[in-house]
């Protein structure tokens, strides 16, 4: 079976598990091709995937999420039924997002595609299983898969609504966190304070964070941070407080703990933290699937140019 890919930047042939990726031939230079594939209005033909005999609908659904995650832009996969294949699709609306830096390193890109796809379809993975005794109908409803789809779904939207994207990111991360701790570390007690649960998970995954105890303002730091902006982006309480204000009061601002001020609080806006929350979700996904490429640095998830050394 053959499928056409639109909107993914890749330049080299690669394969895994009888899935073969072949880019289209192009005489364009690297930067010209990068600009073409990352175009916000046109989905340009990138290449093809040749696969064994599989369910095409399931494959498109799963692989589109994987490639969208890698590109951090909407990617389209189409069945190839005839010889003439459109070289582009025009979108009525601008594509959301901008191409992720790891989309332009072929070795890193290939590793992410392979490991994320195989993890996504792995029904035996502990975070792709129901933890209770309910009927197991679809592994797409399980928490790792759910996190991946909640992270990638906003890229398919015609228009970005921050109240939707922020909630999708946070709810996916929170639900995955609970299942991850229950599945792999049952000795750790799940508590009502979401930021504490997230801190436990990030500690186990080896991802930098700050956790501020809600009573005593005790926080965990790898090293002392005097930069307020960096501190607040690393602080898990920032994201949970913003979620609470958004969900319960439909507010886009929140007072969050910041021990360096006189009253111990700082007023923040959700627009300043949506992208860093997305990058935290990305870092968790990459760590969980076991990407160990030397180019990757998940400790920089909060930074403007994250995840790449």
């Amino acid at each position: 079976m053959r499928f056409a890919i639109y909107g993914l930047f890749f330049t080299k042939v690669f394969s895994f598990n009888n899935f073969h990726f072949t880019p289209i031939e192009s005489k364009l230079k690297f930067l010209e091709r990068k600009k073409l594939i990352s175009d916000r209005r046109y989905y340009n033909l990138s290449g093809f995937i040749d696969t064994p005999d599989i369910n095409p609908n399931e494959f498109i659904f799963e692989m589109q999420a994987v490639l969208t995650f890698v590109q951090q832009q909407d990617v389209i996969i189409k069945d190839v039924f005839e010889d003439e294949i459109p070289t582009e699709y025009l979108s009525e609306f601008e594509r959301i997002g901008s191409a992720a830096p790891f989309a332009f390193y072929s070795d890193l890109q290939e590793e992410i595609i392979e490991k994320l796809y195989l993890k996504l379809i792995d029904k035996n993975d502990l975070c792709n299983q129901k933890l209770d005794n309910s009927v197991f109908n679809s592994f797409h409803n399980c928490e790792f898969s759910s996190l991946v789809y909640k992270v990638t779904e906003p890229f398919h939207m015609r228009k970005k609504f921050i109240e939707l994207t922020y909630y999708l990111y946070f709810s996916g991360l929170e639900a995955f966190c609970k299942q991850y701790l229950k599945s792999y570390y049952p000795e750790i007690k799940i508590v009502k304070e979401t930021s504490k649960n997230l801190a436990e998970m990030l500690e186990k995954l080896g991802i930098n964070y700050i956790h501020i105890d809600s009573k005593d303002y005790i926080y965990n730091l790898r090293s002392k941070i005097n930069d307020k902006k960096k501190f607040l982006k690393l602080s898990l309480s920032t994201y949970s407080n913003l979620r609470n204000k958004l969900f319960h009061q439909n507010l886009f601002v929140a007072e969050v703990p910041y021990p360096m001020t006189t009253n111990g609080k700082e007023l923040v806006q959700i627009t300043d933290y949506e992208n860093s929350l997305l990058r935290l979700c990305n870092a968790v996904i990459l760590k969980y699937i076991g990407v160990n490429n030397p180019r990757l640095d998940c400790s920089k998830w909060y930074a403007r140019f994250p995840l790449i050394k």
Side-chain angles (χ1 to χ4, degrees):
M1 301 182 71
R2 169 163 272 210
F3 300 86
I5 310 170
Y6 294 86
L8 175 73
F9 182 83
F10 76 113
T11 59
K12 295 183 178 180
V13 175
F14 68 97
S15 301
F16 68 90
N17 288 46
N18 293 319
F19 295 94
H20 305 287
F21 290 71
T22 307
I24 60 170
E25 294 184 6
S26 175
K27 296 181 180 180
L28 294 177
K29 295 180 180 179
F30 180 89
L31 291 178
E32 293 173 331
R33 189 168 184 178
K34 173 183 172 182
K35 183 178 180 180
L36 179 70
I37 296 299
S38 303
D39 192 286
R40 290 183 174 272
R41 290 300 305 276
Y42 288 90
Y43 292 82
N44 290 283
L45 180 64
S46 313
F48 302 93
I49 313 174
D50 292 291
T51 74
D53 189 17
I54 55 175
N55 182 313
N57 293 329
E58 283 190 6
F59 175 74
I60 289 174
F61 180 70
E62 293 152 355
M63 187 57 79
Q64 260 185 185
V66 171
L67 301 186
T68 296
F69 176 85
V70 169
Q71 184 74 16
Q72 295 288 287
Q73 286 182 303
D74 190 21
V75 174
I76 295 175
I77 298 177
K78 296 283 188 180
D79 285 307
V80 175
F81 292 118
E82 42 191 56
D83 294 334
E84 291 191 10
I85 299 169
T87 58
E88 64 184 22
Y89 282 95
L90 174 63
S91 173
E92 294 182 40
F93 301 87
E94 284 196 359
R95 293 167 75 191
I96 293 172
S98 55
F102 43 74
F104 305 122
Y105 297 99
S106 58
D107 58 335
L108 177 57
Q109 181 192 59
E110 292 164 18
E111 183 179 358
I112 295 173
I113 291 173
E114 177 179 354
K115 290 185 174 180
L116 181 53
Y117 178 74
L118 294 179
K119 181 70 78 172
L120 201 59
I121 65 171
D122 183 4
K123 298 180 183 181
N124 295 316
D125 181 80
L126 292 179
C127 286
N128 265 348
Q129 297 177 1
K130 295 287 185 183
L131 290 174
D132 55 24
N133 293 322
S134 60
V135 177
F136 184 73
N137 290 319
S138 171
F139 64 93
H140 294 309
N141 294 326
C142 298
E143 304 308 350
F144 177 72
S145 303
S146 179
L147 173 60
V148 173
Y149 296 131
K150 285 181 177 180
V151 163
T152 56
E153 186 60 31
F155 294 114
H156 305 315
M157 293 179 179
R158 292 185 173 184
K159 185 176 180 180
K160 192 174 185 180
F161 294 94
I162 196 168
E163 59 268 43
L164 294 178
T165 57
Y166 193 93
Y167 184 74
L168 284 172
Y169 300 154
F170 196 94
S171 63
L173 190 64
E174 182 180 27
F176 173 75
C177 170
K178 291 179 179 179
Q179 188 161 16
Y180 174 81
L181 292 176
K182 288 179 181 178
S183 299
Y184 293 98
Y185 302 97
E187 70 278 7
I188 295 177
K189 183 179 179 181
I190 304 295
V191 297
K192 288 184 178 180
E193 188 181 352
T194 300
S195 59
K196 181 171 175 54
N197 296 330
L198 292 175
E200 295 279 13
M201 176 185 69
L202 297 183
E203 186 71 33
K204 296 301 183 183
L205 289 173
I207 298 174
N208 286 355
Y209 68 93
I210 295 173
H211 171 61
I212 304 176
D213 187 278
S214 58
K215 295 180 180 179
D216 302 319
Y217 292 115
I218 299 171
Y219 49 94
N220 300 345
L221 291 173
R222 310 256 181 217
S223 59
K224 188 174 181 180
I225 297 178
N226 295 318
D227 183 327
K228 180 170 72 172
K229 185 176 180 180
K230 182 178 178 181
F231 184 101
L232 290 170
K233 282 192 179 287
L234 272 166
S235 174
L236 302 175
S237 299
T238 300
Y239 302 97
S240 58
N241 284 23
L242 282 168
R243 188 283 307 265
N244 292 339
K245 285 292 184 180
L246 176 66
F247 185 71
H248 296 294
Q249 299 180 41
N250 197 31
L251 294 176
F252 290 70
V253 296
E255 280 193 335
V256 302
Y258 182 58
M260 312 321 187
T261 57
T262 304
N263 66 350
K265 295 180 180 180
E266 184 73 18
L267 188 68
V268 298
Q269 297 186 42
I270 198 170
T271 50
D272 295 328
Y273 294 89
E274 181 208 15
N275 284 334
S276 52
L277 178 59
L278 169 61
R279 294 194 292 264
L280 176 57
C281 291
N282 290 343
V284 167
I285 290 169
L286 292 168
K287 278 286 190 176
Y288 185 69
I289 65 177
V291 176
N292 53 17
N293 190 289
R295 296 187 191 278
L296 192 67
D297 184 3
C298 288
S299 66
K300 293 183 178 180
W301 62 267
Y302 57 87
R304 185 179 178 186
F305 300 104
L307 302 176
I308 297 294
K309 291 182 179 178

